[in-house]
């Protein structure tokens, strides 16, 4: 059975805490962090230079390189931002896209007709967007009317163009702009080893089982699944994504008189600092995984100083509790015996505070429909734990069970 381990630092993932690992990674890998910041600055300058230079060229290769360079720049910025906060899966997806940008740039550099083919593929995305209807189920009034108007305009603007270019380049052009497979294109440019990274990075994109990168681990003989960021894919994404960006930079430089030496040096410095990032990410990942398999369900009993008892549905992996409607709960016999003994001793040992006891894998019969609250807010002391076999887990600041 799979279990979910505690989230790092807070025990639960929220939008406000989605980048909670960023300060930790910055402190552990300061050289890499500084190198990444330098790349971000230089990439912004380089992108403006390439856009200005290609915009004045007015040729198909120039217009294609302009768009490819801009997309690659944005995707690489996304990669660095995600890598800096340990979000390995989106970083991997960005690096995968960068490899396609690399092949596009190299192909267009070698064959100007391919630049025209690449540019002609523009209406396909707009045509697909025009046929999306799900938003209509969520919009009303003026917003719905505006959405339908935009969809009609997209269809009118793109359908005729799409039919014309599909007739020019062949039926398969609607599906992909290049006439050859990605693998053949990679082989042509001597990038088959990088193509293996592309295959690796495609697993989470396609939703395959092999896409569980950084999210599963055997812990004490139990399969543990983790929510939140997957750290370990991030270093590979940075290394291969940087290699792809460097190739795109090389193609863009051909439209400049002085080249992009400052950006190239910044990318070299980032590569030089990459081992620090690799080591620290794997070290941090090892610390975040639990040492023993956690429970993903349970019940929480809170004992007031007055003797009143309240039962809660409890999520040990997220430290969240929700008040149960009744005291009816299903627990193991060993747990019941341990709980009885614990409750007899707790009032005298903790006469002036609320004490909580978590029963792992216990199930409350009637969960409430109220809000989930953080369990530490319900008690005045660290939780006791009673596991399925009746073993009592004592808080670290309590010398022995009461």
């Amino acid at each position: 059975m799979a279990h979910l381990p505690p989230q790092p630092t807070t025990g639960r993932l929220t939008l406000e805490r989605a980048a909670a690992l960023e300060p930790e990674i910055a402190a552990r890998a300061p050289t890499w962090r500084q190198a990444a910041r330098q790349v971000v600055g230089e990439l912004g300058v380089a992108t403006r230079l390439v856009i200005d230079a290609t915009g004045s060229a007015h040729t198909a290769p120039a217009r294609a390189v302009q768009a490819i360079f801009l997309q690659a720049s944005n995707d690489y910025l996304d990669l660095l931002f995600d890598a800096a906060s340990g979000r390995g899966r989106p970083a991997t997806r960005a690096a995968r896209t960068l490899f396609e940008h690399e092949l596009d740039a190299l192909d267009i550099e070698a064959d100007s007709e391919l630049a025209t083919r690449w540019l002609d593929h523009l209406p396909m995305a707009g045509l697909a967007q025009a046929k999306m209807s799900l938003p209509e189920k969520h919009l009303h009034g003026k917003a719905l009317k505006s959405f339908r108007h935009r969809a009609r305009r997209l269809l009118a603007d793109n359908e005729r163009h799409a039919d014309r270019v599909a007739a020019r380049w062949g039926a398969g052009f609607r599906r992909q702009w290049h006439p050859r497979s990605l693998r053949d294109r990679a082989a042509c440019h001597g990038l088959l080893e990088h193509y293996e990274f592309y295959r690796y990075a495609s697993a989470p994109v396609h939703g395959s089982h092999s896409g569980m990168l950084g999210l599963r681990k055997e812990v004490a003989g139990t399969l543990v699944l983790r929510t939140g960021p997957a750290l370990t894919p991030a270093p590979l994404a940075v290394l291969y994504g940087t290699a792809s960006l460097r190739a795109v930079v090389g193609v863009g430089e051909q439209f400049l008189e002085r080249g992009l030496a400052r950006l190239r040096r910044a990318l070299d410095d980032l590569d030089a600092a990459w081992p620090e990032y690799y080591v620290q990410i794997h070290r941090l990942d090892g610390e975040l995984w639990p040492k023993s398999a956690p429970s993903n369900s349970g019940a929480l009993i809170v004992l007031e100083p007055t003797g009143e008892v309240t039962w809660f549905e409890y999520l040990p992996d997220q430290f969240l509790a929700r008040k149960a409607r009744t005291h009816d709960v299903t627990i193991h016999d060993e747990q019941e015996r341990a709980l009885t003994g614990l409750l007899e001793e707790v009032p005298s040992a903790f006469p002036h505070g609320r004490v909580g006891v978590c029963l792992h894998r216990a199930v409350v019969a009637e969960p409430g429909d109220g809000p989930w609250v953080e369990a530490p807010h319900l008690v005045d002391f660290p939780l006791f734990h009673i596991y399925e076999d009746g073993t009592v887990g004592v808080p670290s600041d309590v010398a022995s069970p009461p």
Side-chain angles (χ1 to χ4, degrees):
M1 181 176 291
H3 309 286
L4 300 176
Q7 289 294 329
T9 69
T10 64
R12 65 171 176 168
L13 185 67
T14 66
L15 288 177
E16 291 76 13
R17 302 185 188 276
L21 292 178
E22 186 270 334
E24 181 73 18
I25 294 171
R28 290 175 178 238
T31 304
W32 180 86
R33 168 76 177 204
Q34 180 57 37
R37 292 182 64 182
Q38 187 66 25
V39 169
V40 171
E42 295 298 340
L43 185 56
V45 174
T47 302
R48 289 194 296 273
L49 291 173
V50 171
I51 288 177
D52 289 344
T54 52
S56 61
H58 301 299
T59 65
R63 288 189 292 124
V65 168
Q66 180 186 79
I68 291 170
F69 199 101
L70 177 61
Q71 289 186 77
S73 175
N74 286 337
D75 286 330
Y76 192 76
L77 290 174
D78 285 343
L79 189 161
L80 288 184
F81 295 152
D82 288 325
S85 56
R87 301 177 70 242
R89 290 170 65 83
T92 298
R93 290 191 286 267
R96 177 186 185 272
T97 303
L98 279 160
F99 180 67
E100 296 200 51
H101 292 322
E102 175 183 6
L103 293 182
D104 291 350
L106 294 175
D107 284 344
I108 287 169
E109 179 186 36
D111 187 342
S112 60
E113 184 179 82
L114 288 176
T116 303
R117 284 184 66 111
W118 190 90
L119 292 168
D120 279 351
H121 207 257
L122 178 64
M124 301 309 173
L127 192 59
Q129 183 182 353
K131 297 178 180 179
M132 298 177 187
S133 60
L134 183 60
E136 294 190 20
K137 299 179 181 179
H138 299 268
L139 297 174
H140 304 280
K142 292 183 178 180
L144 176 59
K145 183 178 180 181
S146 176
F147 172 81
R148 287 173 172 168
H149 175 72
R150 284 195 293 269
R152 288 192 295 269
R153 286 292 305 271
L154 276 171
L155 190 64
D157 291 345
N158 291 285
E159 190 170 34
R160 187 178 303 172
H161 186 187
D163 289 341
R164 183 173 66 255
V165 295
R168 177 181 182 182
W169 300 112
F173 184 75
R174 289 181 179 271
R175 180 172 51 85
Q176 67 176 39
W177 76 271
H178 203 286
R180 302 176 66 187
S181 71
L182 199 76
R183 187 187 187 282
D184 288 344
R185 295 166 61 193
C188 180
H189 296 292
L191 293 172
L192 279 180
E193 190 268 327
H194 288 235
Y195 177 74
E196 293 303 319
F197 169 79
Y198 178 85
R199 293 182 60 204
Y200 158 87
S202 296
V205 172
H206 297 316
S208 70
H209 193 196
S210 60
M212 294 286 292
L213 308 174
L215 296 178
R216 53 177 287 158
K217 187 176 183 179
E218 290 284 338
V219 177
T222 300
L223 174 62
V224 177
L225 306 179
R226 186 162 75 188
T227 58
L231 276 71
T232 52
L236 287 177
V238 170
L239 190 63
Y240 280 90
T242 301
S244 291
L245 180 68
R246 189 178 280 106
V248 175
V249 168
V251 176
E253 281 181 314
Q254 297 180 21
F255 295 87
L256 304 175
E257 293 183 1
R258 300 181 60 181
L260 298 171
R262 291 173 63 92
L263 175 57
R264 285 191 172 276
R265 284 196 297 271
L267 292 174
D268 290 343
D269 290 342
L270 189 66
D271 275 347
W274 181 82
E276 175 192 65
Y277 178 74
Y278 173 87
V279 169
Q280 294 302 325
I281 283 291
H282 280 268
R283 185 172 296 168
L284 177 59
D285 182 71
E287 295 172 8
L288 292 178
W289 283 100
K291 305 307 178 190
S292 59
S295 171
N296 63 351
S297 65
L300 175 68
I301 181 172
V302 175
L303 182 65
E304 302 285 345
T306 60
E308 181 183 357
V309 171
T310 306
W311 283 90
F312 294 83
E313 181 183 6
Y314 186 51
L315 303 179
D317 59 304
Q318 299 182 54
F319 310 122
L320 296 178
R322 180 170 61 181
K323 189 175 181 180
R325 295 180 181 178
T326 70
H327 290 189
D328 187 11
V329 61
T330 301
I331 63 177
H332 295 78
D333 293 340
E334 295 83 355
Q335 284 180 304
E336 186 171 5
R337 286 191 289 271
L339 177 63
T340 300
L342 195 61
L343 293 183
E344 289 176 353
E345 302 292 340
V346 160
S348 60
F350 300 93
H352 302 298
R354 298 167 299 173
V355 178
V357 181
C358 170
L359 294 105
H360 289 256
R361 301 194 187 282
V363 180
V364 298
E366 296 185 42
D369 55 5
W372 289 97
V373 296
E374 296 189 18
H377 295 166
L378 298 173
V379 295
D380 298 310
F381 306 99
L383 295 179
F384 287 87
H385 294 263
I386 302 180
Y387 300 93
E388 303 96 300
D389 62 359
T391 302
V392 178
V394 181
S396 58
D397 56 351
V398 177
S400 60

